[in-house]
Amino acid sequence: MATDATTYQWVKDGALGAGKMRYGADYNPEQWPREVWAEDVRLMREAGVNIVSLGIFSWALLEPREGEWDFDWLDDIIDLLHENGIDVDLATATASPPAWLTTKHPEVLPVTADGTILSPGGRQHWRPTSPIFREYALRLVRQLATRYADHPALVAWHIGNELGCHNLYDFSDDAARAFRIWLQEHYTSLDALNDVWGTAFWSQHYSEWDEILPPRVAAAQRNPGQQLDFQRFSSDAQRDHLRAEAAVLAELTPGVPRTTNFMVAQNIRDIDYPSWTGDVDFVSNDHYLRPGPRGRDDLSFWANLTGNIAEGRPWLLMEHATSAVNWREINPPKRPGELMRDALTHVAHGADGVCYFQWRQSRAGGERYHSGMVPHAGADSRVFRDVVALGAELQAIAPMTGAHREKARVAIAFDYISWWVSGRDSHPTELLRYDEEALSWYFALLDLGIRADVVPVDASFDDYDVVIAPMLHVVTDDLRGRLEQIVADGRHLITTYFSGTVDEYDRVWLGGYPGALRELVGLTVEEFVPLLAPEKLASGASATNWSERIIRLGDDVEVLDTYASGDLAGEPAVTRRRVGAGSATYVSADLGVEGVTGVLRSLSDIDALRGDERTAGGKLEIITRAGDGIRYEFFANRTDEVVTLTPTGARFGTDAGAPGATIEIQPREVVIVAEPAA
Ligand code: GLA
């Protein structure tokens, strides 16, 4: 999965030495008069902050006119932080180009699919493929790296910021040129490209590479192969920018680890992060709590996936929010206990550092209503008191840094490419949601008290007794072989509707659905049956959005559930093919969390699908990290009730207790229990 030669290297030890849990925030001192800086460092010390990400949006102040540099203020704040024992994750400051640059070179501005040029005035208004932007950006990186190479406060580099958050899809002429080069590298000939894109359809044949464009707004549905390759290219173009900045830093500051903040989260679909793991020394992630009853479980899912994108090694939670964000339609503050709960849930999934956006809530600008560690109300506030309490907790649990997350027996295979392609236009319905399907399985597993890993689809499945592959739409020959191996080994695969349908070019596998998986699951589907209204299954489950008319291919395929209403009444809805000790289960409809919970219950002969009794019927999520001969078990209370637990180990952290003592886990609380590893 890892792409390049970069080897894992954690944040440097810095002022406080090794074995610290990192704690901090994006710090934007340029938004405040200098008097505030003194108070900032005082409060940071009070909170136990030991790292800040600095300079993320500072380009316009660092280079106020072309080639005119002003580092004095940055020197001063880095020195002040260092004097106070606070280390710096220094940004390369390229996230938002200054006004002089876009005034002089409007040709760096991104262009949307309909030809609109995006104006400056927001942020990230640059084309990832612009040679002009790249030159200016790398010059800035070189200046910063040269100036701060030996500063003792510098413990990591923060490349760009959330690469691709706003400028992932650029349809400019620069993009067109770079796209053609990307295509030439991927396809040996135009004939190969014409073949896999199916350009015989609608007279889309290309005779010259220069005829190929990004999939701009067109008169009718755009070519799916072209769309998919443009998605791959756009994700890779951001990674190229990351590599270009990283190369300058590697040259000038080889001993300083480099990272960039990924956005492994439900609202960011289009970056293939597992292919970026090898391009950073350690993985960082940004995650913002989804409001509503499943928000905590959603957080757990993406933290879990981040831990596996990091290949089990510690990662840094670079950004989350102390309380409300300001960019959803409605932005409620966090409920009591949630600040601590969210931070510790990320730690449970392998984060060795917890940072926020941002240190001090802005007074002006587009994010003034976004929470910070120091809110508008000041330090005498609930949020800041919680921030101080979290700082103390992180220091108390610091001995666990470096501990690896223990693998579960069940995996959910997560595939960014299937996420992209299954949500394409020109499909049988527009209502399918890959992310929601994957989340439904995770939520159901949590509800049943079953621990699962969310793993990138290219990671090894070898250690898992059960692999769940929800809506695994894109299946290559290689992937099919890996899935077949699971069942051949006597292990278990569960997959769902619209899986196995297309190859890596979004071309349909012929002979009936689910195409590549037809023989493995032992059935075929001649036509999809998207639903206009929900239908019932015999078990009582509801099918929404989607159903399929299943034809079983052999007697070894059992029917676990049938459709009970609509045109498919009496037909199989959920099947299971047994192969020796292994099995392949197929779920042909969108059953939601309740429905898939029922499916999992019906598979309870599989040992790994029996819930852990200590979860108190799924009220707790249990996650384990282990290192240095100690196992740390995290018990996260998913409910608003008190849950009682009598573990064999001892409570660990600021509230440390004795081994075997009964613990009352408060609503939304995360309790850590430590005991020697067996
Ligand atoms: C992103 C950005 C931050 C800030 C936060 C607000 O994660 O990286 O600069 O805008 O969102 O949630």
Side-chain angles (χ1 to χ4, degrees):
M1 161 179 25
T3 44
D4 257 344
T6 301
T7 48
Y8 173 76
Q9 198 189 345
W10 183 240
V11 182
K12 286 173 72 177
D13 291 348
L16 297 172
K20 289 288 162 209
M21 194 60 85
R22 287 293 177 179
Y23 186 39
D26 286 9
Y27 181 35
N28 299 302
E30 66 271 41
Q31 294 177 14
W32 299 95
R34 284 185 181 234
E35 308 83 79
V36 176
W37 297 4
E39 196 202 23
D40 281 338
V41 289
R42 184 178 63 73
L43 292 176
M44 283 179 192
R45 289 173 63 120
E46 187 180 332
V49 163
N50 57 36
I51 191 167
V52 292
S53 295
L54 200 62
I56 293 175
F57 297 107
S58 302
W59 191 346
L61 294 184
L62 294 173
E63 191 182 7
R65 286 184 191 75
E66 183 173 355
E68 209 178 290
W69 304 98
D70 178 8
F71 290 110
D72 292 350
W73 68 272
L74 190 57
D75 292 350
D76 291 349
I77 190 69
I78 294 181
D79 289 346
L80 180 66
L81 289 162
H82 184 58
E83 283 156 21
N84 284 276
I86 299 155
D87 297 321
V88 173
D89 166 46
L90 188 58
T92 55
T94 54
S96 196
W100 59 258
L101 197 162
T102 49
T103 303
K104 182 172 176 190
H105 292 292
E107 68 274 27
V108 307
L109 296 170
V111 179
T112 62
D114 66 359
T116 304
I117 299 172
L118 295 179
S119 288
R123 64 177 176 183
Q124 223 176 49
H125 39 277
W126 49 273
R127 299 178 186 176
T129 57
S130 160
I132 297 173
F133 178 79
R134 182 72 60 87
E135 194 181 320
Y136 280 102
L138 296 189
R139 202 174 61 177
L140 172 62
V141 177
R142 194 163 278 282
Q143 288 278 337
L144 282 161
T146 307
R147 189 170 188 96
Y148 297 107
D150 299 319
H151 199 294
L154 177 65
V155 293
W157 283 111
H158 183 295
I159 295 179
N161 188 61
E162 293 193 337
L163 292 167
C165 181
H166 308 289
N167 64 351
L168 181 64
Y169 290 121
D170 163 43
F171 296 80
S172 66
D173 290 342
D174 278 332
R177 269 188 295 276
F179 184 38
R180 287 177 203 128
I181 293 169
W182 187 96
L183 290 168
Q184 286 175 37
E185 282 165 3
H186 283 73
Y187 298 102
T188 41
S189 67
L190 258 187
D191 285 348
L193 178 144
N194 277 311
D195 177 38
V196 298
W197 283 12
T199 57
F201 182 78
W202 281 355
S203 187
Q204 292 172 348
H205 181 86
Y206 295 102
S207 303
E208 300 291 339
W209 290 102
D210 282 351
E211 294 163 1
I212 301 175
L213 294 169
R216 294 173 176 155
V217 171
Q221 284 110 326
R222 290 163 294 174
N223 181 294
Q226 178 193 18
Q227 285 180 290
L228 175 54
D229 273 339
F230 190 67
Q231 283 179 293
R232 289 196 176 104
F233 154 78
S234 298
S235 175
D236 287 358
Q238 295 289 340
R239 193 183 58 190
D240 280 351
H241 185 86
L242 167 65
R243 288 179 176 175
E245 290 200 18
V248 174
L249 298 172
E251 175 199 329
L252 298 172
T253 61
V256 182
R258 301 170 291 273
T259 193
T260 189
N261 41 349
F262 294 1
M263 298 170 282
V264 178
Q266 194 187 15
N267 52 329
I268 302 292
R269 185 192 61 176
D270 288 359
I271 301 177
D272 180 20
Y273 283 121
S275 76
W276 291 28
T277 308
D279 290 293
V280 290
D281 292 308
F282 62 92
V283 166
S284 304
N285 198 47
D286 295 354
H287 186 273
Y288 287 91
L289 185 69
R290 160 175 154 181
R294 286 287 184 185
R296 193 221 75 89
D297 295 343
D298 172 90
L299 181 159
S300 169
F301 179 95
W302 301 103
N304 190 327
L305 175 59
T306 303
N308 288 305
I309 288 175
E311 299 175 347
R313 295 172 300 213
W315 53 278
L316 182 66
L317 176 63
M318 187 66 92
E319 287 182 25
H320 72 315
T322 55
S323 192
V325 301
N326 73 323
W327 41 261
R328 299 188 200 269
E329 195 179 2
I330 303 172
N331 301 293
K334 287 196 176 176
R335 299 169 68 203
E338 289 188 349
L339 182 150
M340 180 76 80
R341 176 200 68 184
D342 293 352
L344 293 182
T345 305
H346 286 288
V347 172
H349 285 289
D352 266 1
V354 168
C355 297
Y356 288 96
F357 174 82
Q358 61 178 329
W359 166 250
R360 189 180 276 279
Q361 186 170 12
S362 298
R363 183 168 190 196
E367 296 188 313
R368 64 206 179 289
Y369 291 109
H370 191 293
S371 58
M373 292 173 89
V374 182
H376 287 157
D380 185 11
S381 57
R382 174 174 75 107
V383 165
F384 191 69
R385 281 187 285 278
D386 284 356
V387 160
V388 172
L390 174 59
E393 195 64 44
L394 293 174
Q395 288 324 314
I397 65 171
M400 77 161 60
T401 53
H404 284 219
R405 231 174 116 260
E406 275 188 359
K407 285 194 175 172
R409 294 173 66 191
V410 177
I412 294 181
F414 191 84
D415 181 24
Y416 274 90
I417 310 297
S418 286
W419 193 3
W420 304 353
V421 177
S422 60
R424 181 83 67 233
D425 57 355
S426 65
H427 272 178
T429 171
E430 290 178 4
L431 299 181
L432 292 192
R433 289 287 306 268
Y434 175 88
D435 49 337
E436 291 294 354
E437 183 65 34
L439 285 163
S440 287
W441 286 91
Y442 192 70
F443 296 167
L445 289 161
L446 287 172
D447 289 351
L448 291 169
I450 302 165
R451 198 159 68 86
D453 290 345
V454 186
V455 297
V457 73
D458 290 335
S460 169
F461 299 140
D462 290 354
D463 295 327
Y464 297 105
D465 296 333
V466 177
V467 176
I468 302 175
M471 209 190 289
L472 188 58
H473 186 59
V474 179
V475 176
T476 60
D477 273 330
D478 174 64
L479 179 54
R480 179 183 54 196
R482 294 174 55 226
L483 297 171
E484 284 170 354
Q485 193 60 47
I486 295 167
V487 177
D489 287 348
R491 297 180 288 137
H492 305 277
L493 174 74
I494 302 170
T495 190
T496 77
Y497 62 98
F498 214 33
S499 292
T501 312
V502 299
D503 68 7
E504 64 267 46
Y505 308 107
D506 198 2
R507 293 182 306 185
V508 175
W509 288 108
L510 300 180
Y513 317 119
L517 303 181
R518 203 169 47 230
E519 283 165 26
L520 180 56
V521 292
L523 57 90
T524 190
V525 170
E526 290 178 14
E527 281 185 303
F528 297 130
V529 187
L531 294 171
L532 298 171
E535 299 291 359
K536 280 284 170 221
L537 268 58
S539 63
S542 271
T544 49
N545 301 327
W546 190 273
S547 61
E548 292 172 357
R549 185 185 295 275
I550 286 178
I551 302 166
R552 283 180 290 158
L553 295 176
D555 297 339
D556 55 347
V557 180
E558 256 171 81
V559 177
L560 302 185
D561 206 349
T562 49
Y563 291 100
S565 67
D567 288 348
L568 299 184
E571 301 284 345
V574 180
T575 61
R576 183 176 183 193
R577 175 173 168 247
R578 289 182 193 265
V579 183
S583 69
T585 297
Y586 188 76
V587 180
S588 68
D590 176 352
L591 301 181
V593 182
E594 267 181 51
V596 302
T597 306
V599 173
L600 289 167
R601 282 212 178 95
S602 71
L603 298 172
S604 63
D605 61 297
I606 300 173
D607 192 48
L609 292 182
R610 290 201 199 110
D612 182 337
E613 282 173 9
R614 297 174 313 153
T615 64
K619 289 181 183 159
L620 302 177
E621 178 185 9
I622 305 179
I623 311 132
T624 309
R625 292 182 64 176
D628 281 341
I630 301 183
R631 286 182 85 225
Y632 302 93
E633 275 195 309
F634 290 71
F635 297 88
N637 190 344
R638 302 171 61 222
T639 72
D640 285 347
E641 306 163 30
V642 173
V643 181
T644 305
L645 176 82
T646 309
T648 50
R651 185 168 182 163
F652 177 69
T654 47
D655 264 343
T662 296
I663 301 169
E664 287 202 334
I665 308 181
Q666 300 303 311
R668 302 181 292 281
E669 190 182 23
V670 178
V671 162
I672 307 171
V673 170
E675 63 185 329

